[in-house]
Amino acid sequence: MPATCVFGAQWGDEGKGKIIDGLARDADVVVRYQGGANAGHTVIVGGAKYVLHLIPSGILHRSKLNVIGNGLAVDPLKFIEEVEGLRARGVAVDGSNLRLSSAAHVIFEHHKRIDHASERWRGVGRIGTTGRGIGPCYADKAARTGLRVADLLEPERCRRRLAAALAEKNALLTQVHGEAPLSLEEQLERYMHLGEELRPFVGDTGAEVRAAYRAGKQILFEGAQGAMLDIDHGSYPYVTSSNTGSDGVAAGAGFPARWMDRVVGIAKAYCTRVGEGPFPSEDHGADGVKIREAGNEYGATTGRPRRCGWFDVLAMRYSLELNGADGWIMTNLDVLDSFEEIKVATAYEVGGKLHTQWPGAHVDLADVKVRLESAKGWKTDITGVRRYEDLPALTRKYVEWVEKLVGVPIVMLSVGPDRDQIIPRAGLEVALARA
Ligand code: GDP
Ligand code: IMO
Ligand code: MG
């Protein structure tokens, strides 16, 4: 801090929600800059569980400003649902602590239908999307046919732009996907009504965040998904449709890249992936199942069982370097408490060749066989530990071994889902200077 980007360094679900909520105590502003309600960020406070999809994970701290930047694909229905869900649980949410960019793109009903229909067309090549309309919305943004939040607030503009969009989308829905067309009048009524509900939250969030930074406020940028799902640098085409790391902040929040002070990655002590696509260190055997059960690895957005496997050193080094991480946070370390042996992927074999560094886009990750090395498990419950020196010697040995393999300092460990289950490490002050 004062401007820190915290991003997922693996395939998503690294525990970003929990960590951002914790770090938000020392921040003034928490900003989401990409993705949409495909995200599911879990925050557990004193046993009460909150799953946030669009709203930043600072929302449980009353005095913090939470910002949904221009880089998001916002489903107004989900936005309102989430605001109301929080209010019903006594969390104060209004235009004073939650801001929504007028330039964020809007996810409409047709985006969600097309997301599902495109997946059906892809058949075995499907991506396994969350079905939240993310890809089709970002596609329209790039094609310059999308509508932005500001458009929902201007009846004439909304009618003109939605009519133009639906003319094409209805042709696609009916002629290609064999679905019923959507009625312009019905859609207009529904979304303009939603627009009115959004109005109190809407503003020029880029200007608001820049002004806060200039005023010396602490800003925390909250990534969604993970570096390996980045549209440019991830395992394309099995990715999401945005830039998920620090690479997404400038465009997605209107915050100059050179103003960023610190970048911190988050990764589990093992790996998970939800959806299709290559996952080199996936464990298809009993250990994968054991990780899933011990870590309760089921999607926070779709409920799908997550694919589980071992920590991947090559992917981690790549994602931390790519995003310029000063340090990283290792989460879910406690999930490995009962393992006799803990494995780590330290090299890839592809076509008889051994890679010890990320092999680049010309290698198909589906062809990779990983080389695993092992550490001895500590077989102790560490969920109650709060100081690094109180961890079992074997746990520290594992952490320091992985840290050395990755080559970037681990600044914090997480040993349980609750807000307070963290272990700071030397270096945290450096990575989160002035926090
Ligand atoms: P996010 O998308 O990165 O915010 O992560 P998710 O919320 O989708 O998934 C992380 C899951 O792990 C959630 O169920 C969290 O409550 C849980 N969690 C976070 N940190 C820890 C931890 O250190 N240990 C354990 N056991 N669970 C954790
Ligand atoms: P958080 O923020 C894990 C995955 C989907 C699919 C691919 C594309 O909770 O870490 P999309 O709906 O974005 O077009 O799907 O990306 N995916 C995630 N996986 N965590 C997420 O978010 C994800 N958001 C999308 O499963 O493989
Ligand atoms: Mg998640």
Side-chain angles (χ1 to χ4, degrees):
M1 305 214 200
T4 304
C5 174
V6 179
F7 70 98
Q10 295 168 318
W11 314 87
D13 305 323
E14 298 89 349
K16 297 176 291 292
K18 174 204 152 138
I19 298 296
I20 301 276
D21 164 71
L23 295 177
R25 269 190 281 230
D26 298 314
D28 300 297
V29 187
V30 184
V31 186
R32 279 275 310 267
Y33 54 90
Q34 46 72 231
N38 48 351
H41 295 181
T42 313
V43 179
I44 299 183
V45 186
K49 178 171 163 178
Y50 300 83
V51 181
L52 300 159
H53 299 287
L54 272 170
I55 297 181
S57 302
I59 198 71
L60 301 176
H61 303 268
R62 180 61 187 113
S63 59
K64 313 296 174 180
L65 180 64
N66 290 270
V67 175
I68 297 176
N70 62 280
L72 276 87
V74 174
D75 181 339
L77 273 166
K78 290 277 165 215
F79 177 91
I80 297 298
E81 215 175 270
E82 205 166 326
V83 167
E84 285 174 355
L86 285 168
R87 283 179 179 158
R89 299 179 68 181
V91 180
V93 187
D94 56 39
S96 71
N97 68 338
L98 178 62
R99 309 292 298 148
L100 169 62
S101 171
S102 51
H105 274 254
V106 177
I107 293 186
F108 286 90
E109 177 65 26
H110 57 263
H111 291 125
K112 291 182 269 192
R113 290 209 189 175
I114 293 166
D115 194 356
H116 287 289
S118 298
E119 283 282 85
R120 286 199 297 275
W121 275 96
R122 288 182 199 117
V124 290
R126 70 186 180 279
I127 296 163
T129 72
T130 60
R132 295 292 163 95
I134 302 294
C137 179
Y138 278 121
D140 281 355
K141 173 180 177 174
R144 292 145 296 175
T145 51
L147 276 80
R148 306 196 292 178
V149 167
D151 296 321
L152 291 187
L153 307 180
E154 293 286 337
E156 280 317 307
R157 201 159 83 200
C158 189
R159 173 172 287 277
R160 182 165 37 86
R161 292 194 61 83
L162 190 58
L166 271 190
E168 186 190 354
K169 300 304 174 191
N170 273 336
L172 181 66
L173 280 171
T174 55
Q175 291 168 38
V176 177
H177 299 314
E179 293 199 11
L182 290 161
S183 145
L184 173 63
E185 295 308 323
E186 270 175 35
Q187 295 295 303
L188 261 178
E189 198 194 313
R190 187 198 298 181
Y191 282 89
M192 278 173 42
H193 178 75
L194 286 164
E196 285 313 309
E197 294 194 55
L198 299 187
R199 193 183 286 277
F201 300 94
V202 178
D204 179 353
T205 56
E208 291 170 19
V209 173
R210 291 192 300 275
Y213 181 77
R214 284 187 182 283
K217 304 281 189 205
Q218 314 271 335
I219 322 273
L220 202 50
F221 292 94
E222 173 178 4
Q225 292 81 52
M228 303 311 295
L229 292 171
D230 185 283
I231 180 85
D232 284 286
H233 306 288
S235 54
Y236 192 88
Y238 299 97
V239 293
T240 191
S241 302
S242 60
N243 289 119
T244 55
S246 62
D247 55 348
V249 176
F255 189 83
R258 55 184 302 202
W259 287 9
M260 191 64 77
D261 296 288
R262 292 286 179 255
V263 178
V264 178
I266 304 188
K268 287 173 179 162
Y270 51 93
C271 269
T272 64
R273 174 166 200 166
V274 59
E276 306 300 322
F279 177 8
S281 63
E282 181 168 12
D283 187 298
H284 296 278
D287 282 343
V289 174
K290 190 169 167 185
I291 294 174
R292 181 176 312 117
E293 295 317 315
N296 190 26
E297 293 292 358
Y298 294 88
T301 295
T302 57
R304 292 179 287 179
R306 293 176 183 149
R307 298 156 64 191
C308 297
W310 299 108
F311 189 89
D312 184 333
V313 172
L314 282 77
M316 187 63 181
R317 265 197 226 127
Y318 167 65
S319 84
L320 293 181
E321 178 175 282
L322 180 69
N323 291 289
D326 301 285
W328 62 287
I329 296 171
M330 182 191 266
T331 60
N332 293 50
L333 185 57
D334 57 296
V335 172
L336 302 179
D337 278 356
S338 62
F339 281 80
E340 205 66 62
E341 185 189 15
I342 298 166
K343 295 177 194 156
V344 170
T346 54
Y348 289 175
E349 276 175 40
V350 192
K353 195 168 170 240
L354 192 72
H355 296 258
T356 53
Q357 300 294 337
W358 183 252
H362 53 283
V363 167
D364 187 342
L365 283 185
D367 298 333
V368 162
K369 270 191 64 193
V370 289
R371 256 205 200 168
L372 296 167
E373 291 182 50
S374 298
K376 194 167 168 4
W378 46 92
K379 306 273 283 172
T380 310
D381 180 350
I382 60 167
T383 54
V385 179
R386 296 292 174 270
R387 293 188 324 172
Y388 188 67
E389 55 272 30
D390 294 339
L391 281 170
L394 283 172
T395 317
R396 281 183 277 132
K397 198 168 169 201
Y398 171 76
V399 169
E400 286 161 33
W401 177 52
V402 170
E403 182 175 47
K404 190 155 177 242
L405 287 169
V406 171
V408 178
I410 298 176
V411 297
M412 191 193 284
L413 301 168
S414 174
V415 292
D418 205 85
R419 190 186 257 179
D420 298 318
Q421 289 177 298
I422 55 160
I423 301 177
R425 280 194 86 210
L428 181 63
E429 314 74 36
V430 181
L432 299 176
R434 284 165 283 172

